[in-house]
mmCIF file of all heavy atoms in Angstrom:
data_model
loop_
_atom_site.group_PDB
_atom_site.id
_atom_site.type_symbol
_atom_site.label_atom_id
_atom_site.label_comp_id
_atom_site.label_asym_id
_atom_site.label_seq_id
_atom_site.Cartn_x
_atom_site.Cartn_y
_atom_site.Cartn_z
ATOM 1 N N SER A 1 60.167 146.873 230.606
ATOM 2 C CA SER A 1 60.248 145.464 231.018
ATOM 3 C C SER A 1 58.866 144.829 230.606
ATOM 4 O O SER A 1 57.845 145.569 230.467
ATOM 5 C CB SER A 1 60.439 145.302 232.478
ATOM 6 O OG SER A 1 59.382 145.864 233.262
ATOM 7 N N PRO A 2 58.884 143.559 230.410
ATOM 8 C CA PRO A 2 57.681 142.878 229.889
ATOM 9 C C PRO A 2 56.418 143.217 230.700
ATOM 10 O O PRO A 2 56.392 143.130 231.979
ATOM 11 C CB PRO A 2 58.032 141.420 229.975
ATOM 12 C CG PRO A 2 59.496 141.269 229.745
ATOM 13 C CD PRO A 2 59.995 142.513 230.442
ATOM 14 N N ARG A 3 55.393 143.514 229.909
ATOM 15 C CA ARG A 3 54.113 143.767 230.656
ATOM 16 C C ARG A 3 53.072 142.938 229.936
ATOM 17 O O ARG A 3 52.883 142.789 228.763
ATOM 18 C CB ARG A 3 53.857 145.305 230.330
ATOM 19 C CG ARG A 3 52.399 145.669 230.985
ATOM 20 C CD ARG A 3 52.063 147.128 230.696
ATOM 21 N NE ARG A 3 52.931 148.022 231.183
ATOM 22 C CZ ARG A 3 52.942 149.387 231.050
ATOM 23 N NH1 ARG A 3 51.825 149.903 230.302
ATOM 24 N NH2 ARG A 3 53.684 150.327 231.504
ATOM 25 N N LEU A 4 52.122 142.297 230.793
ATOM 26 C CA LEU A 4 51.060 141.556 230.185
ATOM 27 C C LEU A 4 50.136 142.468 229.356
ATOM 28 O O LEU A 4 49.747 143.493 229.694
ATOM 29 C CB LEU A 4 50.201 140.775 231.326
ATOM 30 C CG LEU A 4 50.973 139.810 232.099
ATOM 31 C CD1 LEU A 4 50.105 139.312 233.206
ATOM 32 C CD2 LEU A 4 51.475 138.624 231.202
ATOM 33 N N VAL A 5 49.709 141.837 228.261
ATOM 34 C CA VAL A 5 48.782 142.482 227.295
ATOM 35 C C VAL A 5 47.436 142.203 227.913
ATOM 36 O O VAL A 5 46.950 141.088 227.671
ATOM 37 C CB VAL A 5 48.950 142.150 225.884
ATOM 38 C CG1 VAL A 5 47.946 142.726 224.907
ATOM 39 C CG2 VAL A 5 50.317 142.480 225.316
ATOM 40 N N GLU A 6 46.658 143.260 228.333
ATOM 41 C CA GLU A 6 45.352 143.103 229.018
ATOM 42 C C GLU A 6 44.321 143.633 228.108
ATOM 43 O O GLU A 6 43.057 143.610 228.607
ATOM 44 C CB GLU A 6 45.363 143.672 230.438
ATOM 45 C CG GLU A 6 46.464 143.027 231.228
ATOM 46 C CD GLU A 6 46.432 143.771 232.668
ATOM 47 O OE1 GLU A 6 45.888 144.899 232.722
ATOM 48 O OE2 GLU A 6 46.914 143.156 233.636
ATOM 49 N N THR A 7 44.550 143.848 226.864
ATOM 50 C CA THR A 7 43.582 144.426 225.999
ATOM 51 C C THR A 7 42.871 143.456 225.150
ATOM 52 O O THR A 7 41.966 143.675 224.375
ATOM 53 C CB THR A 7 44.156 145.593 225.058
ATOM 54 O OG1 THR A 7 45.381 145.005 224.444
ATOM 55 C CG2 THR A 7 44.659 146.784 225.849
ATOM 56 N N LEU A 8 43.274 142.082 225.298
ATOM 57 C CA LEU A 8 42.697 141.048 224.430
ATOM 58 C C LEU A 8 41.325 140.776 224.960
ATOM 59 O O LEU A 8 41.048 140.846 226.314
ATOM 60 C CB LEU A 8 43.652 139.822 224.570
ATOM 61 C CG LEU A 8 44.967 139.905 223.875
ATOM 62 C CD1 LEU A 8 45.811 138.748 224.300
ATOM 63 C CD2 LEU A 8 44.724 139.963 222.473
ATOM 64 N N ALA A 9 40.403 140.381 224.175
ATOM 65 C CA ALA A 9 39.091 139.907 224.656
ATOM 66 C C ALA A 9 39.118 138.767 225.615
ATOM 67 O O ALA A 9 40.019 137.875 225.529
ATOM 68 C CB ALA A 9 38.246 139.596 223.479
ATOM 69 N N GLU A 10 38.275 138.717 226.534
ATOM 70 C CA GLU A 10 38.372 137.696 227.619
ATOM 71 C C GLU A 10 38.140 136.345 226.973
ATOM 72 O O GLU A 10 37.426 136.199 226.096
ATOM 73 C CB GLU A 10 37.129 137.908 228.603
ATOM 74 C CG GLU A 10 37.150 136.945 229.731
ATOM 75 C CD GLU A 10 35.989 137.276 230.758
ATOM 76 O OE1 GLU A 10 35.245 138.292 230.440
ATOM 77 O OE2 GLU A 10 35.943 136.408 231.694
ATOM 78 N N GLY A 11 39.077 135.415 227.400
ATOM 79 C CA GLY A 11 39.037 134.198 226.849
ATOM 80 C C GLY A 11 39.917 133.886 225.700
ATOM 81 O O GLY A 11 40.031 132.764 225.137
ATOM 82 N N THR A 12 40.548 134.998 225.113
ATOM 83 C CA THR A 12 41.484 134.732 223.961
ATOM 84 C C THR A 12 42.664 134.099 224.313
ATOM 85 O O THR A 12 43.398 134.351 225.332
ATOM 86 C CB THR A 12 41.755 136.192 223.413
ATOM 87 O OG1 THR A 12 40.622 136.886 223.002
ATOM 88 C CG2 THR A 12 42.759 136.014 222.239
ATOM 89 N N VAL A 13 43.019 133.037 223.610
ATOM 90 C CA VAL A 13 44.229 132.244 223.958
ATOM 91 C C VAL A 13 45.257 132.412 222.768
ATOM 92 O O VAL A 13 44.861 132.012 221.607
ATOM 93 C CB VAL A 13 43.832 130.766 224.120
ATOM 94 C CG1 VAL A 13 45.178 129.889 224.198
ATOM 95 C CG2 VAL A 13 42.989 130.577 225.320
ATOM 96 N N ILE A 14 46.285 133.031 223.047
ATOM 97 C CA ILE A 14 47.311 133.164 221.992
ATOM 98 C C ILE A 14 48.318 132.030 221.860
ATOM 99 O O ILE A 14 48.805 131.533 222.919
ATOM 100 C CB ILE A 14 48.112 134.543 222.163
ATOM 101 C CG1 ILE A 14 47.143 135.690 222.150
ATOM 102 C CG2 ILE A 14 49.241 134.698 221.140
ATOM 103 C CD1 ILE A 14 46.305 135.869 220.934
ATOM 104 N N THR A 15 48.564 131.534 220.601
ATOM 105 C CA THR A 15 49.460 130.387 220.476
ATOM 106 C C THR A 15 50.852 130.797 219.778
ATOM 107 O O THR A 15 51.700 129.965 219.936
ATOM 108 C CB THR A 15 48.778 129.297 219.659
ATOM 109 O OG1 THR A 15 48.474 129.769 218.460
ATOM 110 C CG2 THR A 15 47.576 128.813 220.518
ATOM 111 N N ALA A 16 50.797 131.805 219.108
ATOM 112 C CA ALA A 16 52.041 132.288 218.403
ATOM 113 C C ALA A 16 51.986 133.818 218.110
ATOM 114 O O ALA A 16 50.917 134.448 218.159
ATOM 115 C CB ALA A 16 52.054 131.563 216.976
ATOM 116 N N ALA A 17 53.220 134.353 217.852
ATOM 117 C CA ALA A 17 53.366 135.773 217.569
ATOM 118 C C ALA A 17 54.458 135.982 216.551
ATOM 119 O O ALA A 17 55.375 135.136 216.445
ATOM 120 C CB ALA A 17 53.661 136.445 218.907
ATOM 121 N N SER A 18 54.352 137.111 215.898
ATOM 122 C CA SER A 18 55.373 137.537 214.911
ATOM 123 C C SER A 18 55.433 139.091 215.078
ATOM 124 O O SER A 18 54.462 139.659 215.290
ATOM 125 C CB SER A 18 55.090 137.148 213.542
ATOM 126 O OG SER A 18 56.017 137.563 212.624
ATOM 127 N N ALA A 19 56.673 139.684 215.049
ATOM 128 C CA ALA A 19 56.794 141.030 215.175
ATOM 129 C C ALA A 19 57.500 141.713 214.035
ATOM 130 O O ALA A 19 58.478 141.162 213.420
ATOM 131 C CB ALA A 19 57.606 141.403 216.464
ATOM 132 N N GLY A 20 57.090 142.833 213.457
ATOM 133 C CA GLY A 20 57.584 143.474 212.332
ATOM 134 C C GLY A 20 58.345 144.711 212.816
ATOM 135 O O GLY A 20 58.760 144.883 213.967
ATOM 136 N N SER A 21 58.471 145.745 212.019
ATOM 137 C CA SER A 21 59.156 146.988 212.210
ATOM 138 C C SER A 21 58.468 147.669 213.356
ATOM 139 O O SER A 21 59.132 148.081 214.379
ATOM 140 C CB SER A 21 59.244 147.796 210.998
ATOM 141 O OG SER A 21 58.009 148.026 210.455
ATOM 142 N N ALA A 22 57.187 147.885 213.362
ATOM 143 C CA ALA A 22 56.518 148.664 214.367
ATOM 144 C C ALA A 22 55.050 148.058 214.546
ATOM 145 O O ALA A 22 54.107 148.874 214.710
ATOM 146 C CB ALA A 22 56.476 150.222 214.178
ATOM 147 N N HIS A 23 54.994 146.854 214.285
ATOM 148 C CA HIS A 23 53.592 146.138 214.375
ATOM 149 C C HIS A 23 53.875 144.821 214.945
ATOM 150 O O HIS A 23 54.886 144.196 214.704
ATOM 151 C CB HIS A 23 52.843 146.261 213.062
ATOM 152 C CG HIS A 23 53.420 145.573 211.894
ATOM 153 N ND1 HIS A 23 54.491 145.997 211.396
ATOM 154 C CD2 HIS A 23 52.926 144.486 211.262
ATOM 155 C CE1 HIS A 23 54.814 145.132 210.258
ATOM 156 N NE2 HIS A 23 53.903 144.221 210.293
ATOM 157 N N THR A 24 52.676 144.260 215.362
ATOM 158 C CA THR A 24 52.628 142.833 215.820
ATOM 159 C C THR A 24 51.594 141.991 215.377
ATOM 160 O O THR A 24 50.438 142.517 215.255
ATOM 161 C CB THR A 24 52.647 143.000 217.418
ATOM 162 O OG1 THR A 24 53.722 143.670 217.909
ATOM 163 C CG2 THR A 24 52.580 141.584 218.108
#
């Protein structure tokens, strides 16, 4: 089930995403 990604550097703001075969 969806889990927050907490490995991003502090203050990082994500605006878009794309997903491939086994990468993001």
Side-chain angles (χ1 to χ4, degrees):
S1 64
R3 178 188 298 181
L4 294 177
V5 176
E6 299 179 341
T7 55
L8 293 167
E10 184 176 358
T12 301
V13 175
I14 301 300
T15 59
S18 184
S21 55
H23 63 291
T24 299

